[in-house]
Amino acid sequence: MKYTIVASQGNKEQRQHSSSSVPYSIYDCQIPDSFPNVPMHWHSEFEIDYVLQGQGDFICGDEHFPVSHGDVIMISPNMLHAAYPSSNMSLHYIAFVFHANMLGLESNDRSSTHCIRPLITGQLRVNMKYDLSHPDYPVIRSLTETIVSCANKNNPYDDLLLKSTLLQLYWFFEKNDNLSSFQDDDISYSSLIRPALEHMTYCYMDSITIDELSAKCAISSSHFMNSFKKAVGCSAIEFLTHLRIKAACTALTDTTDDISTISYSCGFNNLSNFNKQFKKITGSSPREYRNR
């Protein structure tokens, strides 16, 4: 049995973030209360994250940076990203994920052609982190709070204000040079290891080796391990363990399967090791996690 890995936003194509009538989703992400972390993943939509409380670490593409209360993080379509709490700290943030249609992608007018499509293709990217030290932070935070408020109201009338505020936000990025160019021939560590990440996401319950993962990326094992560590911040085996524990958390919450069945279905060959890794990552035993 394969258990669906659920997080603030799903791994690629495992969660529908938008529809034609409601082209966005909003998620209340509380780490580690709701889930241990948000492993590296990607999706075709834009994402705006607004930190409400606590401290943590974000990985976006090849950039690693700390986040804390009030920070706003902008994530481009198809960008690999992950979120982890800081040691002995919690992290609470709102994730607003929206389709490019909200910015007028389907239109052929010059603003869509010259300003929006380059953001979709990756030729342009919005600078990722905005905090108190950034000169444009007050405006960006205010617009973000309006976006979150409208999305939470979830009705067609506030969708009008939501769309107009999104357009104002991206106009502000263009006007104040909060964009950077990205060349197609720039090879990043995150792009290099993407095939391995995708394989682990869908096949976490199987036996997976470093040689197998490096072959997926068409690079040597040593190059793969070095690239993975730089892109994700942990080893491939540690990342795979986190995926498996996340799937186990979902199973413990959503099913009545016994713990040994969940352990083996999530890729652990040894129940004792499963219990040890689960406790290490979540801070509680599988039984305690299920009963809380």
Side-chain angles (χ1 to χ4, degrees):
M1 178 184 296
K2 178 176 180 179
Y3 302 105
T4 303
I5 299 175
V6 178
S8 60
Q9 47 278 343
N11 291 281
K12 182 169 171 54
E13 296 181 353
Q14 288 194 331
R15 173 169 291 197
Q16 186 71 32
H17 291 294
S18 59
S19 65
S20 57
S21 60
V22 184
Y24 64 85
S25 292
I26 189 163
Y27 305 104
D28 190 330
C29 309
Q30 300 186 55
I31 307 173
D33 293 340
S34 301
F35 35 82
N37 55 62
V38 179
M40 192 74 83
H41 65 286
W42 67 96
H43 43 72
S44 59
E45 296 91 351
F46 288 87
E47 180 173 334
I48 301 174
D49 294 332
Y50 181 43
V51 181
L52 300 179
Q53 283 184 317
Q55 296 178 7
D57 296 285
F58 267 58
I59 302 174
C60 299
D62 287 337
E63 294 192 32
H64 300 205
F65 48 84
V67 298
S68 59
H69 169 70
D71 289 357
V72 178
I73 300 92
M74 310 297 303
I75 299 173
S76 299
N78 300 307
M79 174 180 284
L80 284 164
H81 56 285
Y84 300 90
S86 297
S87 299
N88 302 316
M89 293 287 293
S90 61
L91 177 64
H92 183 194
Y93 68 96
I94 299 297
F96 174 70
V97 185
F98 65 97
H99 195 278
N101 285 347
M102 296 200 73
L103 297 174
L105 174 66
E106 294 182 340
S107 174
N108 289 318
D109 60 64
R110 62 185 180 182
S111 65
S112 299
T113 301
H114 294 283
C115 301
I116 303 304
R117 288 180 186 170
L119 294 171
I120 304 297
T121 61
Q123 293 171 289
L124 288 176
R125 286 183 181 172
V126 176
N127 296 338
M128 280 182 271
K129 180 184 174 182
Y130 296 89
D131 57 23
L132 284 169
S133 67
H134 197 285
D136 295 329
Y137 173 74
V139 174
I140 291 170
R141 176 172 178 170
S142 177
L143 292 172
T144 298
E145 289 177 340
T146 299
I147 289 166
V148 169
S149 175
C150 290
N152 278 323
K153 290 176 182 176
N154 191 25
N155 66 67
Y157 308 106
D158 284 286
D159 282 356
L160 286 173
L161 178 57
L162 175 55
K163 286 194 291 185
S164 66
T165 307
L166 278 172
L167 286 169
Q168 185 179 354
L169 178 63
Y170 280 83
W171 168 83
F172 187 80
F173 288 143
E174 296 266 2
K175 178 176 177 290
N176 290 275
D177 295 324
N178 281 291
L179 302 173
S180 57
S181 60
F182 185 82
Q183 301 300 321
D184 290 339
D185 56 355
D186 288 343
I187 304 299
S188 68
Y189 291 116
S190 59
S191 298
L192 193 63
I193 66 165
R194 189 185 293 259
L197 285 168
E198 185 170 26
H199 180 67
M200 284 189 281
T201 295
Y202 291 109
C203 302
Y204 63 86
M205 74 297 296
D206 299 333
S207 176
I208 297 176
T209 66
I210 294 297
D211 287 343
E212 180 182 359
L213 294 173
S214 59
K216 294 280 183 185
C217 302
I219 56 178
S220 68
S221 295
S222 59
H223 189 190
F224 169 77
M225 289 188 290
N226 182 55
S227 299
F228 196 99
K229 180 76 172 180
K230 289 182 177 179
V232 180
C234 65
S235 72
I237 298 304
E238 289 174 314
F239 178 81
L240 181 59
T241 299
H242 276 271
L243 280 180
R244 289 169 171 169
I245 294 300
K246 180 172 283 295
C249 287
T250 300
L252 288 166
T253 302
D254 297 346
T255 77
T256 58
D257 294 349
D258 62 72
I259 291 173
S260 60
T261 297
I262 291 172
S263 168
Y264 291 113
S265 296
C266 290
F268 290 92
N269 295 323
N270 183 291
L271 182 58
S272 175
N273 183 47
F274 168 70
N275 289 329
K276 177 182 176 181
Q277 295 298 331
F278 195 98
K279 177 86 171 183
K280 178 181 177 182
I281 291 173
T282 68
S284 62
S285 70
R287 191 173 304 280
E288 290 170 339
Y289 187 92
R290 169 170 269 172
N291 293 333
R292 70 184 187 182

